[in-house]
Amino acid sequence: DSGVTQTPKHLITATGQRVTLRCSPRSGDLSVYWYQQSLDQGLQFLIQYYNGEERAKGNILERFSAQQFPDLHSELNLSSLELGDSALYFCASSVWGGDDTQYFGPGTRLTVL
Amino acid sequence: KNEVEQSPQNLTAQEGEFITINCSYSVGISALHWLQQHPGGGIVSLFMLSSGKKKHGRLIATINIQEKHSSLHITASHPRDSAVYICAVRWGGSEKLVFGKGMKLTVNP
């Protein structure tokens, strides 16, 4: 158990819908990362937050947004969902960022029908 | 072309064999990470390297900065080592990790 929790574990929804994925980092970790893992693209970095502020942005679509709250939990919002958004979404946390060890959550499996 | 290449893509070994997984990257990096993804999907960070070599139990990771290449070695492999091993790199000035496509290892008893 990494200490990072993600909810829900599974999510099935329809095209055009909006969903919110939630992540609680390990106690004391200030950085939260979001990753997408699809069969054809592998793991891709989406976005990083540090202590409530956006720190780095990767291949995140404009339909996706995220935020980190004062209690350091983070949410990833996915809207106008398309079939191609079906993937595993991982959250990870680390103490500071940079090359600190990242601790991964169990992931949320999103299926868009 | 992916900026991070891993080889082989799949590997099947017998228990006890010495295994090497390779990772190459296209330009100079700040650090390289090795991750393990279990069959159930969970991901664990194994090593972070910026130079030299690190060892943890039966796992050894090395990096050659000049050749832009890293290897992950598993000694005395065991069926529980069966997983996907993923290499990721970070370039200086960026927090972003760029991942290889992973190598699926199966160790048979």
Side-chain angles (χ1 to χ4, degrees):
Chain A
D1 183 2
S2 67
V4 179
T5 60
Q6 286 187 249
T7 56
K9 286 188 180 173
H10 302 276
L11 197 48
I12 301 174
T13 189
T15 54
Q17 295 298 305
R18 173 189 167 94
V19 297
T20 297
L21 312 184
R22 183 187 167 103
C23 169
S24 292
R26 289 188 330 150
S27 177
D29 285 358
L30 298 177
S31 268
V32 169
Y33 306 78
W34 285 98
Y35 298 97
Q36 180 192 57
Q37 186 177 39
S38 59
L39 281 174
D40 55 342
Q41 295 288 330
L43 267 169
Q44 291 198 84
F45 167 74
L46 295 178
I47 198 162
Q48 179 204 1
Y49 280 83
Y50 174 79
N51 203 21
E53 300 287 327
E54 182 185 303
R55 177 171 268 190
K57 213 166 191 176
N59 302 323
I60 188 164
L61 299 171
E62 284 191 14
R63 300 183 286 107
F64 296 0
S65 65
Q67 60 184 117
Q68 187 180 27
F69 294 86
D71 67 352
L72 301 177
H73 92 272
S74 178
E75 292 181 356
L76 178 67
N77 300 296
L78 314 177
S79 62
S80 302
L81 285 167
E82 302 175 0
L83 295 177
D85 298 327
S86 296
L88 262 173
Y89 291 85
F90 287 100
C91 163
S93 72
S94 69
V95 177
W96 301 110
D99 293 311
D100 283 352
T101 297
Q102 293 186 27
Y103 296 87
F104 284 77
T108 293
R109 182 172 294 281
L110 173 66
T111 303
V112 182
L113 300 176
Chain B
K1 184 181 182 300
N2 200 13
E3 295 165 293
V4 182
E5 297 283 346
Q6 290 190 241
S7 63
Q9 289 189 321
N10 292 280
L11 181 63
T12 299
Q14 288 301 121
E15 184 173 356
E17 287 184 9
F18 180 85
I19 291 162
T20 296
I21 304 165
N22 297 301
C23 176
S24 298
Y25 48 91
S26 54
V27 295
I29 60 170
S30 173
L32 183 142
H33 296 250
W34 281 102
L35 308 170
Q36 180 192 53
Q37 185 167 26
H38 296 286
I43 297 175
V44 175
S45 292
L46 297 176
F47 295 103
M48 187 283 292
L49 294 160
S50 54
S51 64
K53 177 178 174 178
K54 286 189 177 179
K55 184 175 189 291
H56 185 258
R58 295 179 295 105
L59 301 180
I60 303 166
T62 63
I63 189 166
N64 185 317
I65 299 295
Q66 286 73 32
E67 294 188 4
K68 299 184 180 63
H69 180 268
S70 175
S71 293
L72 177 66
H73 305 286
I74 305 174
T75 61
S77 60
H78 189 275
R80 65 175 174 266
D81 297 325
S82 298
V84 175
Y85 291 84
I86 302 168
C87 164
V89 302
R90 188 175 74 82
W91 285 279
S94 170
E95 292 279 345
K96 174 183 172 179
L97 280 180
V98 176
F99 296 86
K101 294 207 180 282
M103 191 222 75
K104 184 176 180 182
L105 172 66
T106 303
V107 181
N108 293 318

